[in-house]
Amino acid sequence: MHTIMSDKYQMFENRLAKVYKHLAKTARRQGISCFRLYDRDLPEFPLIIELYEDKVSVAEYLSSHGMDDDAYDDWLERSVQRVGNVLNAPREDIFLRTRQRKTDRQSQYEKISIEKAEIVAKEDGLNFKVNLSDYLDTGLFLDHRITRHMVREESKDKHVLNLFCYTGSFSVYAAAGGAASVTSADLSKTYLKWAEDNMELNGIYDPAKHHYVHADVLQYLDDLKINTFDLVIMDPPTFSNSKRMKDFLDIQRDHVTLINKVLMAMKKDGVLYFSNNLRRFELDEPAIEASSIKNITAQTIPFDFQGKLQRHCFRIIK
């Protein structure tokens, strides 16, 4: 039995080493220091492993592993050990996040640790505060690296709106691209503060140009003036039933209403980047009042997410 277990860990380590060699080469060539290394590649190891500079984030996904607590803890620690072997990373540089069983769909906002391991990570020459310990996500969604670059390329002199802005990484890119103004809206004060911190980290904090709106986006859309924005980013949660929201959000059911309200607030020929993570999402194109809709999912998948990404991304022109 022990040999079978050892073989299993060796298989995991071999897999990691092979993938790391391949991805690290591409990352170096592209000047990328934060990337996803492993995403539940082997069913016995339901982990997501990401590198942020010289730190390692290991997130464990819920699985019906059938182990008792002691066996599970042993499995987790031995898995982390193998990660350290491959990456030559000391244990204190590996940050482990495990998902608690919660029925609340908003559990992504729950703090999961009293530690505070924050670092500044670089992407595309910009700085971002990354938290490796306290939340289920680090604060920087690596899968939108290419989409952020697209936004930066077309932000010059534009009035930009970032809805469900999370920690404001799209806002930072837009401001760095020379946007005339950037408005970031989110229901979480924690994330809005984080978005402000990210702007400050890049020396582009300017209250006269860049605004942070604490609001339920579903209601906020009804208050927007028409023909105001040139460029909008909207990456909503798949579902949300936060107690602070008036209505609950179901992105398949509600996307037409959301998109059409956003288009009302945009100038003619304005661009909306719309994405979501619902695996079986289908865009109801005929119901959307746009002059052009392009599915850009394939173009926005980075090298470290090839074949692994379940999100959708569209470029919609008013």
Side-chain angles (χ1 to χ4, degrees):
M1 178 67 183
H2 182 69
T3 314
I4 294 170
M5 289 300 282
S6 302
D7 287 352
K8 187 171 81 167
Y9 290 109
Q10 193 55 53
M11 193 170 75
F12 175 56
E13 188 171 326
N14 293 346
R15 170 77 188 185
L16 268 188
K18 186 181 170 189
V19 173
Y20 178 58
K21 190 179 173 190
H22 168 65
L23 292 180
K25 203 182 285 179
T26 309
R28 269 197 304 274
R29 202 171 57 238
Q30 295 186 15
I32 287 165
S33 54
C34 306
F35 62 93
R36 180 166 292 188
L37 171 60
Y38 174 95
D39 188 344
R40 295 167 282 189
D41 299 22
L42 303 172
E44 304 92 327
F45 295 89
L47 303 168
I48 286 187
I49 303 167
E50 294 178 335
L51 271 72
Y52 291 88
E53 309 295 336
D54 57 349
K55 304 284 187 272
V56 186
S57 160
V58 179
E60 183 258 344
Y61 270 66
L62 275 182
S63 60
S64 48
H65 48 68
M67 291 182 259
D68 64 32
D69 287 355
D70 288 346
Y72 171 77
D73 290 345
D74 179 60
W75 166 81
L76 203 52
E77 205 43 61
R78 287 175 72 178
S79 301
V80 167
Q81 226 171 0
R82 298 294 177 135
V83 173
N85 291 351
V86 170
L87 300 177
N88 204 10
R91 183 62 186 86
E92 63 270 19
D93 284 349
I94 302 175
F95 295 85
L96 184 60
R97 297 199 305 278
T98 58
R99 284 186 184 264
Q100 305 304 312
R101 291 183 189 275
K102 288 201 180 93
T103 51
D104 178 7
R105 278 173 170 159
Q106 282 299 92
S107 60
Q108 75 259 33
Y109 293 118
E110 301 279 340
K111 282 200 123 180
I112 60 170
S113 157
I114 49 168
E115 298 292 312
K116 201 164 189 63
E118 283 183 355
I119 64 162
V120 173
K122 279 203 174 320
E123 184 186 83
D124 225 351
L126 299 169
N127 298 314
F128 297 93
K129 182 173 90 173
V130 166
N131 186 313
L132 295 164
S133 57
D134 295 1
Y135 302 91
L136 281 172
D137 293 303
T138 61
L140 187 62
F141 287 130
L142 301 179
D143 65 291
H144 268 305
R145 190 187 301 127
I146 292 170
T147 329
R148 285 191 279 270
H149 187 78
M150 287 176 170
V151 164
R152 182 183 193 164
E153 294 286 287
E154 57 182 313
S155 286
K156 186 143 183 59
D157 302 328
K158 302 274 173 69
H159 292 284
V160 179
L161 174 63
N162 185 6
L163 296 164
F164 304 97
C165 76
Y166 187 46
T167 60
S169 52
F170 274 107
S171 302
V172 170
Y173 268 79
S181 72
V182 181
T183 302
S184 307
D186 200 276
L187 187 59
S188 163
K189 285 183 175 169
T190 303
Y191 287 144
L192 278 175
K193 173 70 176 70
W194 198 329
E196 288 194 61
D197 291 347
N198 278 335
M199 289 288 232
E200 284 186 34
L201 271 179
N202 292 282
I204 41 181
Y205 186 75
D206 183 349
K209 283 169 66 172
H210 306 313
H211 316 286
Y212 306 88
V213 179
H214 176 238
D216 173 346
V217 171
L218 300 185
Q219 293 175 52
Y220 175 62
L221 287 176
D222 293 329
D223 301 331
L224 288 176
K225 293 191 175 75
I226 61 168
N227 304 329
T228 306
F229 295 99
D230 307 288
L231 180 60
V232 180
I233 303 101
M234 180 163 60
D235 184 17
T238 301
F239 291 100
S240 191
N241 61 350
S242 162
K243 295 170 190 69
R244 292 168 297 171
M245 279 178 92
K246 197 173 91 178
D247 308 304
F248 82 91
L249 172 71
D250 172 335
I251 199 58
Q252 184 62 64
R253 183 194 68 190
D254 300 328
H255 74 275
V256 170
T257 308
L258 275 176
I259 290 170
N260 284 338
K261 281 182 178 178
V262 168
L263 289 167
M264 289 276 292
M266 288 165 57
K267 295 176 189 169
K268 189 178 178 319
D269 300 323
V271 174
L272 164 64
Y273 283 98
F274 169 67
S275 73
N276 72 76
N277 290 314
L278 180 62
R279 186 180 295 229
R280 294 208 170 100
F281 178 77
E282 286 182 24
L283 190 76
D284 184 0
E285 284 201 29
I288 291 166
E289 291 151 18
S291 64
S292 154
I293 299 174
K294 195 174 175 203
N295 187 333
I296 59 167
T297 305
Q299 296 104 283
T300 60
I301 299 177
F303 70 93
D304 44 333
F305 286 85
Q306 292 294 332
K308 304 248 177 83
L309 201 50
Q310 299 299 337
R311 70 152 168 78
H312 309 265
C313 194
F314 301 88
R315 190 172 188 270
I316 300 171
I317 300 175
K318 181 168 177 176

